[in-house]
Amino acid sequence: MDIKLVVSQMLELFLILALGYIAAKKKVVSPNFGSQLSNFILSITLPCMMLASVATMPADTNNLDVIMMFIISILFYVVMPFIAYFIARILMVKKEDRHLYMYMTIWSNVGFMGFPVIASIFGEGAIFYATIFNLIFNVSNFTLGIMLMSKDGRKALDLKKFLSPGMMSSIAAVIMFSAHLKLPELLNDTLKTVGDTTTPLAMIVIGIALSGIPVKSVFTEIRLYPYVIIKQIVLPLLAWVILKNVIANPYLLGIVIVIIAMPVATSSVLFANRYENNVALATKGVFITTLASVVTIPIISYLLV
């Protein structure tokens, strides 16, 4: 893995993010543009990216690696709630914000930022493995995630979310791979072309979302500094120490560790807003972890060489 290339790619993604930030600040785009573009990505470009990823899988892909990714993904979302609670207690998070911190720790930015970064570092074939992780992400996010963020707990569950385009395309991609199904070349090329727009569009959406945060208030949220170190350096390193003895394939191991090192998911802001949680804190968490990822992801990638 070329570390200089990783740094360059992270800086490129951040510059695209900055472009979205500037566009929003200069009112080049309307306030509704970010949410509309976000829906477009989640409903159209990201599903296309997932489906097209099946065609980029190497012919000699080991089915055991696919099964291993499923197992690791499931175990991750089973274990992480306990680790997240422990982290919230260590940081002495106020009781009313404890569930929000847990949410930010458990669910990282796998879709919007994880997919583009993984594709940049490991190639388009890695997207399929990230799709598996994203499938388990969605299942846990729309169950435990909602229960954590809502004051109503289980009553707030909306099982219709499982029929979202992202969920359905994740399942379809896994089925296609398992059944060795191939789409017609023209259709697959179309999916790939549309899917390739996910990377810049996702970064622009994050930039637009971050433009609504007073920058000074972000850097006065002192508790987020140790949180970033724990979430984006300590946790990936701990996972690497444990999983390097479990996952024999270094390619697969690298994908898993980079996913774990991702910043806070943008869904934390959406859920906080919908379920009347601490929207300001969630937005600050997204901002500072996304900013820090420009440094932390190359550091983590260096260890995978």
mmCIF file of all heavy atoms in Angstrom, residues 98-124:
data_model
loop_
_atom_site.group_PDB
_atom_site.id
_atom_site.type_symbol
_atom_site.label_atom_id
_atom_site.label_comp_id
_atom_site.label_asym_id
_atom_site.label_seq_id
_atom_site.Cartn_x
_atom_site.Cartn_y
_atom_site.Cartn_z
ATOM 1 N N ARG A 98 -25.349 10.295 26.769
ATOM 2 C CA ARG A 98 -24.630 9.015 26.750
ATOM 3 C C ARG A 98 -25.026 8.150 25.555
ATOM 4 O O ARG A 98 -24.178 7.557 24.891
ATOM 5 C CB ARG A 98 -24.895 8.271 28.059
ATOM 6 C CG ARG A 98 -23.882 7.177 28.372
ATOM 7 C CD ARG A 98 -24.106 6.649 29.773
ATOM 8 N NE ARG A 98 -23.784 7.661 30.768
ATOM 9 C CZ ARG A 98 -24.202 7.626 32.037
ATOM 10 N NH1 ARG A 98 -24.976 6.638 32.449
ATOM 11 N NH2 ARG A 98 -23.859 8.580 32.877
ATOM 12 N N HIS A 99 -26.322 8.088 25.274
ATOM 13 C CA HIS A 99 -26.778 7.266 24.157
ATOM 14 C C HIS A 99 -26.301 7.826 22.817
ATOM 15 O O HIS A 99 -26.012 7.067 21.885
ATOM 16 C CB HIS A 99 -28.296 7.155 24.158
ATOM 17 C CG HIS A 99 -28.812 6.175 25.157
ATOM 18 N ND1 HIS A 99 -30.158 5.915 25.336
ATOM 19 C CD2 HIS A 99 -28.155 5.374 26.038
ATOM 20 C CE1 HIS A 99 -30.306 5.008 26.281
ATOM 21 N NE2 HIS A 99 -29.107 4.671 26.728
ATOM 22 N N LEU A 100 -26.206 9.145 22.712
ATOM 23 C CA LEU A 100 -25.724 9.764 21.476
ATOM 24 C C LEU A 100 -24.252 9.415 21.244
ATOM 25 O O LEU A 100 -23.852 9.076 20.118
ATOM 26 C CB LEU A 100 -25.903 11.281 21.530
ATOM 27 C CG LEU A 100 -25.338 12.068 20.336
ATOM 28 C CD1 LEU A 100 -25.921 11.561 19.025
ATOM 29 C CD2 LEU A 100 -25.634 13.559 20.494
ATOM 30 N N TYR A 101 -23.454 9.480 22.298
ATOM 31 C CA TYR A 101 -22.039 9.107 22.176
ATOM 32 C C TYR A 101 -21.915 7.635 21.796
ATOM 33 O O TYR A 101 -21.040 7.258 20.998
ATOM 34 C CB TYR A 101 -21.294 9.381 23.481
ATOM 35 C CG TYR A 101 -20.536 10.681 23.468
ATOM 36 C CD1 TYR A 101 -21.152 11.873 23.858
ATOM 37 C CD2 TYR A 101 -19.207 10.739 23.078
ATOM 38 C CE1 TYR A 101 -20.465 13.075 23.840
ATOM 39 C CE2 TYR A 101 -18.507 11.927 23.065
ATOM 40 C CZ TYR A 101 -19.136 13.096 23.445
ATOM 41 O OH TYR A 101 -18.454 14.291 23.419
ATOM 42 N N MET A 102 -22.766 6.807 22.368
ATOM 43 C CA MET A 102 -22.748 5.391 22.016
ATOM 44 C C MET A 102 -23.065 5.207 20.535
ATOM 45 O O MET A 102 -22.400 4.437 19.834
ATOM 46 C CB MET A 102 -23.754 4.617 22.871
ATOM 47 C CG MET A 102 -23.340 4.444 24.325
ATOM 48 S SD MET A 102 -24.610 3.572 25.291
ATOM 49 C CE MET A 102 -24.598 1.956 24.486
ATOM 50 N N TYR A 103 -24.073 5.946 20.062
ATOM 51 C CA TYR A 103 -24.440 5.848 18.647
ATOM 52 C C TYR A 103 -23.265 6.266 17.764
ATOM 53 O O TYR A 103 -22.937 5.582 16.784
ATOM 54 C CB TYR A 103 -25.652 6.734 18.354
ATOM 55 C CG TYR A 103 -26.135 6.617 16.926
ATOM 56 C CD1 TYR A 103 -27.200 5.778 16.597
ATOM 57 C CD2 TYR A 103 -25.515 7.323 15.891
ATOM 58 C CE1 TYR A 103 -27.631 5.654 15.285
ATOM 59 C CE2 TYR A 103 -25.926 7.199 14.580
ATOM 60 C CZ TYR A 103 -26.984 6.362 14.285
ATOM 61 O OH TYR A 103 -27.387 6.227 12.977
ATOM 62 N N MET A 104 -22.625 7.386 18.087
ATOM 63 C CA MET A 104 -21.519 7.889 17.273
ATOM 64 C C MET A 104 -20.353 6.901 17.241
ATOM 65 O O MET A 104 -19.635 6.802 16.244
ATOM 66 C CB MET A 104 -21.043 9.251 17.808
ATOM 67 C CG MET A 104 -22.048 10.371 17.644
ATOM 68 S SD MET A 104 -21.350 12.026 17.914
ATOM 69 C CE MET A 104 -20.791 11.917 19.621
ATOM 70 N N THR A 105 -20.175 6.154 18.328
ATOM 71 C CA THR A 105 -19.080 5.193 18.407
ATOM 72 C C THR A 105 -19.375 3.924 17.617
ATOM 73 O O THR A 105 -18.506 3.378 16.938
ATOM 74 C CB THR A 105 -18.800 4.819 19.875
ATOM 75 O OG1 THR A 105 -18.536 6.011 20.624
ATOM 76 C CG2 THR A 105 -17.600 3.888 19.981
ATOM 77 N N ILE A 106 -20.607 3.463 17.692
ATOM 78 C CA ILE A 106 -20.976 2.199 17.044
ATOM 79 C C ILE A 106 -21.068 2.337 15.526
ATOM 80 O O ILE A 106 -20.529 1.516 14.784
ATOM 81 C CB ILE A 106 -22.321 1.688 17.591
ATOM 82 C CG1 ILE A 106 -22.214 1.409 19.093
ATOM 83 C CG2 ILE A 106 -22.758 0.412 16.865
ATOM 84 C CD1 ILE A 106 -23.561 1.182 19.773
ATOM 85 N N TRP A 107 -21.745 3.388 15.061
ATOM 86 C CA TRP A 107 -22.004 3.515 13.617
ATOM 87 C C TRP A 107 -21.121 4.591 12.999
ATOM 88 O O TRP A 107 -21.319 5.784 13.216
ATOM 89 C CB TRP A 107 -23.478 3.809 13.379
ATOM 90 C CG TRP A 107 -24.324 2.623 13.711
ATOM 91 C CD1 TRP A 107 -24.548 1.521 12.932
ATOM 92 C CD2 TRP A 107 -25.036 2.387 14.933
ATOM 93 N NE1 TRP A 107 -25.344 0.616 13.592
ATOM 94 C CE2 TRP A 107 -25.664 1.122 14.824
ATOM 95 C CE3 TRP A 107 -25.189 3.111 16.117
ATOM 96 C CZ2 TRP A 107 -26.434 0.578 15.834
ATOM 97 C CZ3 TRP A 107 -25.955 2.572 17.127
ATOM 98 C CH2 TRP A 107 -26.567 1.326 16.983
ATOM 99 N N SER A 108 -20.158 4.135 12.220
ATOM 100 C CA SER A 108 -19.235 5.029 11.530
ATOM 101 C C SER A 108 -19.728 5.292 10.110
ATOM 102 O O SER A 108 -20.671 4.651 9.630
ATOM 103 C CB SER A 108 -17.827 4.424 11.506
ATOM 104 O OG SER A 108 -17.335 4.262 12.822
ATOM 105 N N ASN A 109 -19.055 6.180 9.420
ATOM 106 C CA ASN A 109 -19.477 6.606 8.088
ATOM 107 C C ASN A 109 -19.057 5.590 7.022
ATOM 108 O O ASN A 109 -18.152 5.843 6.228
ATOM 109 C CB ASN A 109 -18.885 7.983 7.772
ATOM 110 C CG ASN A 109 -19.653 8.689 6.674
ATOM 111 O OD1 ASN A 109 -20.294 8.062 5.846
ATOM 112 N ND2 ASN A 109 -19.589 10.007 6.671
ATOM 113 N N VAL A 110 -19.722 4.440 7.018
ATOM 114 C CA VAL A 110 -19.375 3.364 6.078
ATOM 115 C C VAL A 110 -19.787 3.723 4.653
ATOM 116 O O VAL A 110 -19.032 3.524 3.704
ATOM 117 C CB VAL A 110 -20.056 2.036 6.487
ATOM 118 C CG1 VAL A 110 -19.713 0.935 5.493
ATOM 119 C CG2 VAL A 110 -19.636 1.631 7.894
ATOM 120 N N GLY A 111 -20.998 4.273 4.484
ATOM 121 C CA GLY A 111 -21.516 4.547 3.154
ATOM 122 C C GLY A 111 -20.939 5.779 2.499
ATOM 123 O O GLY A 111 -20.214 5.693 1.504
ATOM 124 N N PHE A 112 -21.236 6.954 3.038
ATOM 125 C CA PHE A 112 -20.838 8.205 2.407
ATOM 126 C C PHE A 112 -19.328 8.347 2.263
ATOM 127 O O PHE A 112 -18.827 8.761 1.229
ATOM 128 C CB PHE A 112 -21.383 9.390 3.215
ATOM 129 C CG PHE A 112 -22.735 9.841 2.735
ATOM 130 C CD1 PHE A 112 -23.497 9.037 1.899
ATOM 131 C CD2 PHE A 112 -23.248 11.058 3.127
ATOM 132 C CE1 PHE A 112 -24.744 9.442 1.458
ATOM 133 C CE2 PHE A 112 -24.494 11.480 2.700
ATOM 134 C CZ PHE A 112 -25.245 10.668 1.863
ATOM 135 N N MET A 113 -18.577 8.033 3.316
ATOM 136 C CA MET A 113 -17.134 8.229 3.260
ATOM 137 C C MET A 113 -16.371 6.911 3.151
ATOM 138 O O MET A 113 -15.339 6.841 2.484
ATOM 139 C CB MET A 113 -16.658 9.001 4.493
ATOM 140 C CG MET A 113 -15.252 9.556 4.352
ATOM 141 S SD MET A 113 -14.898 10.790 5.624
ATOM 142 C CE MET A 113 -13.282 11.361 5.059
ATOM 143 N N GLY A 114 -16.875 5.879 3.807
ATOM 144 C CA GLY A 114 -16.177 4.597 3.812
ATOM 145 C C GLY A 114 -16.023 3.994 2.434
ATOM 146 O O GLY A 114 -14.931 3.574 2.043
ATOM 147 N N PHE A 115 -17.104 3.976 1.653
ATOM 148 C CA PHE A 115 -17.041 3.393 0.318
ATOM 149 C C PHE A 115 -16.020 4.105 -0.577
ATOM 150 O O PHE A 115 -15.181 3.447 -1.198
ATOM 151 C CB PHE A 115 -18.432 3.427 -0.336
ATOM 152 C CG PHE A 115 -19.311 2.272 0.060
ATOM 153 C CD1 PHE A 115 -19.461 1.920 1.389
ATOM 154 C CD2 PHE A 115 -19.993 1.531 -0.881
ATOM 155 C CE1 PHE A 115 -20.261 0.860 1.787
ATOM 156 C CE2 PHE A 115 -20.802 0.467 -0.513
ATOM 157 C CZ PHE A 115 -20.939 0.133 0.815
ATOM 158 N N PRO A 116 -16.077 5.441 -0.674
ATOM 159 C CA PRO A 116 -15.094 6.134 -1.509
ATOM 160 C C PRO A 116 -13.647 5.920 -1.056
ATOM 161 O O PRO A 116 -12.758 5.713 -1.873
ATOM 162 C CB PRO A 116 -15.488 7.617 -1.364
ATOM 163 C CG PRO A 116 -16.924 7.590 -1.004
ATOM 164 C CD PRO A 116 -17.092 6.375 -0.140
ATOM 165 N N VAL A 117 -13.414 5.974 0.260
ATOM 166 C CA VAL A 117 -12.050 5.817 0.781
ATOM 167 C C VAL A 117 -11.538 4.399 0.519
ATOM 168 O O VAL A 117 -10.398 4.205 0.076
ATOM 169 C CB VAL A 117 -11.997 6.131 2.293
ATOM 170 C CG1 VAL A 117 -10.645 5.732 2.881
ATOM 171 C CG2 VAL A 117 -12.250 7.615 2.527
ATOM 172 N N ILE A 118 -12.377 3.407 0.767
ATOM 173 C CA ILE A 118 -11.978 2.011 0.553
ATOM 174 C C ILE A 118 -11.692 1.752 -0.920
ATOM 175 O O ILE A 118 -10.735 1.065 -1.271
ATOM 176 C CB ILE A 118 -13.072 1.062 1.084
ATOM 177 C CG1 ILE A 118 -13.066 1.095 2.612
ATOM 178 C CG2 ILE A 118 -12.851 -0.367 0.595
ATOM 179 C CD1 ILE A 118 -14.260 0.452 3.243
ATOM 180 N N ALA A 119 -12.538 2.312 -1.798
ATOM 181 C CA ALA A 119 -12.311 2.151 -3.238
ATOM 182 C C ALA A 119 -10.996 2.804 -3.648
ATOM 183 O O ALA A 119 -10.258 2.271 -4.489
ATOM 184 C CB ALA A 119 -13.471 2.760 -4.019
ATOM 185 N N SER A 120 -10.684 3.949 -3.041
ATOM 186 C CA SER A 120 -9.451 4.660 -3.363
ATOM 187 C C SER A 120 -8.216 3.893 -2.902
ATOM 188 O O SER A 120 -7.199 3.856 -3.587
ATOM 189 C CB SER A 120 -9.454 6.052 -2.711
ATOM 190 O OG SER A 120 -10.512 6.843 -3.189
ATOM 191 N N ILE A 121 -8.299 3.262 -1.730
ATOM 192 C CA ILE A 121 -7.149 2.573 -1.150
ATOM 193 C C ILE A 121 -6.975 1.160 -1.696
ATOM 194 O O ILE A 121 -5.873 0.757 -2.084
ATOM 195 C CB ILE A 121 -7.264 2.525 0.391
ATOM 196 C CG1 ILE A 121 -7.249 3.937 0.984
ATOM 197 C CG2 ILE A 121 -6.116 1.698 0.986
ATOM 198 C CD1 ILE A 121 -7.490 3.980 2.482
ATOM 199 N N PHE A 122 -8.082 0.411 -1.761
ATOM 200 C CA PHE A 122 -7.994 -1.015 -2.082
ATOM 201 C C PHE A 122 -8.495 -1.384 -3.477
ATOM 202 O O PHE A 122 -8.358 -2.531 -3.893
ATOM 203 C CB PHE A 122 -8.788 -1.830 -1.053
ATOM 204 C CG PHE A 122 -8.285 -1.683 0.350
ATOM 205 C CD1 PHE A 122 -8.951 -0.865 1.253
ATOM 206 C CD2 PHE A 122 -7.151 -2.347 0.778
ATOM 207 C CE1 PHE A 122 -8.498 -0.719 2.563
ATOM 208 C CE2 PHE A 122 -6.687 -2.218 2.081
ATOM 209 C CZ PHE A 122 -7.358 -1.394 2.972
ATOM 210 N N GLY A 123 -9.110 -0.434 -4.195
ATOM 211 C CA GLY A 123 -9.653 -0.744 -5.507
ATOM 212 C C GLY A 123 -11.145 -1.014 -5.438
ATOM 213 O O GLY A 123 -11.707 -1.257 -4.366
ATOM 214 N N GLU A 124 -11.798 -0.984 -6.600
ATOM 215 C CA GLU A 124 -13.252 -1.103 -6.652
ATOM 216 C C GLU A 124 -13.759 -2.465 -6.175
ATOM 217 O O GLU A 124 -14.882 -2.590 -5.707
ATOM 218 C CB GLU A 124 -13.744 -0.830 -8.081
ATOM 219 C CG GLU A 124 -13.524 0.620 -8.522
ATOM 220 C CD GLU A 124 -14.059 0.877 -9.924
ATOM 221 O OE1 GLU A 124 -14.566 -0.078 -10.540
ATOM 222 O OE2 GLU A 124 -13.972 2.021 -10.385
#
